[in-house]
Amino acid sequence: RRRVLLVHRRDYDLWNLPGGTLGDFESPKNAVIREVKEETGLDVEVSKLLGVYNKEDKNDMAFSFLCKVVSGEIILNDEADKIEYFEIDKLPPNTVPKQVERIKDALLNPSEVIFKTQTGKSSIEMVKEGKL
């Protein structure tokens, strides 16, 4: 439907894709399934890997997946005070910039997995500096 599910954080005025960190011995695929459930209340199945993003300056890596909702209903929680679907060309201005880049990469390159290094300040650093 060319829409993306975003979660509005309770702690900062930021919209981001559902996601989080890997648990011990957890695969990226299982982590996204768990994180989407925890953050949205929705059960998803992973359709495909969209991208792998290295953040060298943070010693971190992010995986982007295309997921299909198979059950559940949106439920607000400790982390999210709003959860909404947005049309791709109507993302909120306070959407995490690195995640906007990942969304655009997926749209522009639907038949390939993107491997990219992302650099620069985190969104939280940018919010604290008044730049986002």
Side-chain angles (χ1 to χ4, degrees):
R1 297 183 188 172
R2 299 192 60 81
R3 297 184 312 156
V4 63
L5 183 67
L6 296 177
V7 175
H8 186 267
R9 298 174 59 129
R10 285 189 184 273
D11 56 353
Y12 291 96
D13 183 21
L14 291 170
W15 288 92
N16 56 251
L17 296 163
T21 58
L22 294 172
D24 290 340
F25 307 104
E26 186 175 40
S27 72
K29 178 181 173 183
N30 288 341
V32 75
I33 292 168
R34 175 184 52 77
E35 285 285 347
V36 171
K37 179 68 173 181
E38 288 175 3
E39 292 186 16
T40 70
L42 299 172
D43 295 301
V44 298
E45 61 183 32
V46 175
S47 301
K48 73 180 212 175
L49 175 67
L50 297 172
V52 178
Y53 294 84
N54 183 28
K55 296 186 272 181
E56 290 175 342
D57 52 340
K58 306 288 185 200
N59 191 30
D60 193 17
M61 187 172 291
F63 296 87
S64 289
F65 294 96
L66 177 64
C67 296
K68 177 183 175 185
V69 175
V70 293
S71 65
E73 60 183 58
I74 291 176
I75 300 171
L76 300 180
N77 55 66
D78 294 355
E79 296 180 38
D81 59 4
K82 296 180 213 165
I83 303 168
E84 297 178 29
Y85 284 96
F86 291 92
E87 293 179 31
I88 299 301
D89 59 347
K90 295 181 181 174
L91 299 177
N94 55 335
T95 303
V96 173
K98 289 178 184 172
Q99 294 187 11
V100 171
E101 179 181 17
R102 295 177 206 155
I103 293 165
K104 288 180 179 178
D105 284 347
L107 291 171
L108 295 172
N109 306 286
S111 62
E112 63 184 87
V113 177
I114 301 299
F115 294 92
K116 187 184 267 186
T117 296
Q118 289 183 308
T119 59
K121 295 182 179 184
S122 74
S123 296
I124 294 172
E125 291 168 328
M126 292 172 68
V127 166
K128 289 179 179 179
E129 294 175 359
K131 297 180 181 174
L132 183 62

